[in-house]
Amino acid sequence: KAGVTQTPRYLIKTRGQQVTLSCSPISGHRSVSWYQQTPGQGLQFLFEYFSETQRNKGNFPGRFSGRQFSNSRSEMNVSTLELGDSALYLCASSNSAIQETQYFGPGTRLLVL
Amino acid sequence: GENVEQHPSTLSVQEGDSAVIKCTYSDSASNYFPWYKQELGKRPQLIIDIRSNVGEKKDQRIAVTLNKTAKHFSLHITETQPEDSAVYFCAAGGGNKLTFGTGTQLKVEL
């Protein structure tokens, strides 16, 4: 099976803009989780979607949002970008609603200028 | 919410020696504890995981132990090799929500 894929891989934006990142899970996986990775804060959970429903949410402001489509592909959106949003955004997919192994995608590296 | 502490932040060992990384967690409801290895510029890759109903799990040179009472779990790598050099993350959680430790930079020297 193909692994988790994310697009785009790299992105440069300016403050105030918005951005949409995409994640395609492993075929058959219905859960997609999003994480932000920065040198200072490490890996932090953003939210998780299962069957098009957001089930869990981390401690991020409302500028961070997401959605999941019927084919399990997921998008996350960040509005009104701030310099501190510069990070590697990783998604991970799992084939279960309960805790199962999460497989990570390669990430989207976002730079906010 | 869950809080995961990981030690040490850096670890340097000689090739062939063992390496041990320790993590503690705060939420007794956490029931899943994976370990990920991340090489520079690459995605985190699962190397081993353990669930709360198991105390120890081994996969070749890698083993993980879990003490639910004390809320800590550890990663043990034996016979380390240069290709083991990477950042290792522990995590704790359940329901596909993971809280990660801050990572351990492991360097295996020849």
Side-chain angles (χ1 to χ4, degrees), chain A residues 19-112:
Chain A
V19 66
T20 299
L21 312 181
S22 180
C23 172
S24 292
I26 292 170
S27 178
H29 285 195
R30 294 164 63 190
S31 169
V32 174
S33 299
W34 288 89
Y35 295 87
Q36 181 196 64
Q37 185 173 28
T38 60
Q41 299 298 317
L43 273 157
Q44 292 187 289
F45 175 79
L46 281 155
F47 29 65
E48 185 246 356
Y49 286 87
F50 182 85
S51 293
E52 303 178 64
T53 300
Q54 186 182 90
R55 297 196 310 154
N56 288 298
K57 191 176 190 306
N59 297 322
F60 278 81
R63 300 185 298 107
F64 292 82
S65 63
R67 60 178 175 169
Q68 187 179 35
F69 302 95
S70 57
N71 62 357
S72 294
R73 188 177 70 85
S74 178
E75 290 182 346
M76 67 163 283
N77 184 77
V78 187
S79 62
T80 319
L81 284 166
E82 300 177 359
L83 297 179
D85 297 333
S86 294
L88 179 67
Y89 290 89
L90 292 157
C91 75
S93 78
S94 165
N95 67 357
S96 174
I98 62 173
Q99 188 64 61
E100 284 291 343
T101 303
Q102 291 190 348
Y103 298 92
F104 281 89
T108 293
R109 188 163 294 282
L110 171 65
L111 177 61
V112 182

